[in-house]
Amino acid sequence: MVHTTTMNTAAAALLLALPASAGMMYTKGSPVLQVDAKNYDRLIAQSNHTSIVEFFAPWCGHCQNLKPAYEKAAKSLAGLAKVAAMDCDDEANKAFCGNLGVKGFPTIMTVTPSKKPGRPVIEDYQGPRTAKAIVDAVVDKIPNHVKRVGDKGLESWLAENNDTAKAVLFSEKGTTSALLKALSVDFRGVISFAQIRDKEKASIELFGITTYPTLILLPGGTTEALVYDGEMKKEPMIAFLSQAAPPNPDPAPKKPKASKKTSKASKDKKKEKENAAEASSSFASASSSQASSEASEAAASATTITLEDASNPTESPDPVATPEDAPAPAPVADLPPPIPTIGSEDELRKACLGSKTTTCILLLLPTVPESETVVPESTTMALASLGGVAEKHVQRKGHLFPFYAIPTTNPISLSLREVLSLGSESETELVAVNARRSWWKHYGEKGFGLESVEGWIDAIRLGEGKKEKLPGGLVKEEEKPDEHDEL
């Protein structure tokens, strides 16, 4: 019995500490570009565009907390800069991460093109980990190849390389937008860009400008100017500018493979491998240290627990010693995989409380006072039962809605209890919510045994039983990402 209790304690600790979506950070549908050691050079280092890259590990709690803001930033920066991420816990990427000096997670770096192609300026991002702060930092680093031109300088600028295409934006603004800077990057070397303020009366009169902003394309030579009349968005503007010349390819074309390798090249390659192995070893040590530290912190803050077993107490100071007449330890069956925990409000809203989200099963975990070391049996039982139900459906290859454990450290946990009139923070509560259809259902049984929990879930799956209407204000409409593609 003591052995069973110990195993359950470890299981509860894992269940409480595990972040949501562990092992998978950014899916294929994510706006975040996923890069690895093989394609980083081509997609990031060789790019004409500014990038920001997150170096993460899937087990890292801080990385999971950053994910919503990072994806929001990626949406805002789409078409303007690259927002990328690399899994440094992947064996194939460890040496690369080590060579870049990654020692903890998440490490965020900005990568800005320099005058030397393929040798960008790499800097650690030390700003706030919010979507707005990340976007502002990246926009500030987008190269500006747009020339500010006035009445006095217009004639000489137009005369420069007369056969080369030119694009002129007439604007009421005194600053150059991120969109125009990004376009100048796309067409760098093939189209020259300029911006003219509405105060430059002679230039305005020369081109007959009456509304702002107005984009003019001068194809070059004696060809007449073309006026853009579409929406001020990047894709249609690129199509318009492409009438004069195609944009630069990005990512850069793959380099052809060398036909022969010299002796020196072989030696250099061998040296690179040795350095990579050394970096990988050093990085693995640092990574392991953080993983161990995070696990310890999680266990200390949320799962420093032991389970009472009143039927077989022991006063022995030696955890190995047992009374002679003690019963043999019961065999412990394999525990089911733990259900994920969502610790942040943004992640929970995105997964289950968004206007378009479907059914989720939420286990509201109780608060365990620091003065106590016992997690309620109901919590352990509920976690084990939900894990068992989820595992059963996985084995059957069946489709089932997601299960999440919600600790009291998640700000929305208390709100859910209050709005849905559930028990206090000291009680374990189990609910199902469907934000899109605006209903919820409470598990009202006395215990959290596997059969009872599975029966309740099956009823939801089959559409049986009474459901309550979700109170207003609990589900928020999805926020539109900050717009940075306007002129």
Side-chain angles (χ1 to χ4, degrees), residues 25 56 75 107 121 178 209 225 230 256 285 290 317 340 350 397 478:
M25 277 280 288
F56 71 91
K75 290 179 181 178
T107 291
V121 177
I209 304 301
S285 176
Q290 181 181 342
K350 185 176 181 181
K397 297 183 179 180
E478 292 185 4

Side-chain angles (χ1 to χ4, degrees), residues 414-435:
L414 181 59
S415 299
L416 279 169
R417 290 177 183 272
E418 291 178 350
V419 172
L420 301 181
S421 300
L422 301 175
S424 68
E425 290 183 64
S426 62
E427 298 179 22
T428 305
E429 297 286 358
L430 183 61
V431 297
V433 296
N434 187 310

Side-chain angles (χ1 to χ4, degrees), residues 366-378:
T367 298
V368 180
E370 293 182 2
S371 58
E372 298 183 15
T373 58
V374 179
V375 162
E377 182 182 352
S378 60

Side-chain angles (χ1 to χ4, degrees), residues 1 4 31 33 40 46 49 54 70 72 74 81 120 124 168 212 238-239 254 260 272 330 391 394 401 436 465:
M1 296 298 288
T4 305
L33 173 67
Y40 173 90
Q46 298 288 342
H49 288 278
E54 175 199 2
Y70 201 62
K72 185 176 180 181
D124 285 330
V168 187
Y212 303 94
I238 282 184
K254 291 183 179 180
K260 294 182 180 181
E272 283 181 12
E391 176 66 6
V394 169
F401 25 76
R436 188 171 69 179

Side-chain angles (χ1 to χ4, degrees), residues 246-372:
N248 297 310
D250 194 279
K254 291 183 179 180
K255 294 180 180 179
K257 294 182 179 180
S259 57
K260 294 182 180 181
K261 294 184 179 179
T262 64
S263 177
K264 183 179 182 300
S266 299
K267 290 180 180 179
D268 290 343
K269 197 72 175 178
K270 183 178 180 181
K271 186 66 176 176
E272 283 181 12
K273 288 184 177 180
E274 290 175 355
N275 292 338
E278 184 178 345
S280 179
S281 176
S282 175
F283 171 78
S285 176
S287 174
S288 176
S289 176
Q290 181 181 342
S292 176
S293 174
E294 261 195 43
S296 298
E297 287 177 9
S301 61
T303 61
T304 306
I305 54 175
T306 53
L307 304 181
E308 288 184 326
D309 192 346
S311 64
N312 186 31
T314 175
E315 296 178 358
S316 171
D318 183 354
V320 179
T322 55
E324 292 182 1
D325 58 346
V332 180
D334 290 337
L335 293 170
I339 63 172
T341 297
I342 296 183
S344 73
E345 179 177 349
D346 287 344
E347 190 74 11
L348 180 56
R349 289 196 179 282
K350 185 176 181 181
C352 302
L353 295 176
S355 58
K356 297 180 181 179
T357 57
T358 54
T359 304
C360 289
I361 303 297
L362 305 180
L363 179 65
L364 303 183
L365 303 175
T367 298
V368 180
E370 293 182 2
S371 58
E372 298 183 15

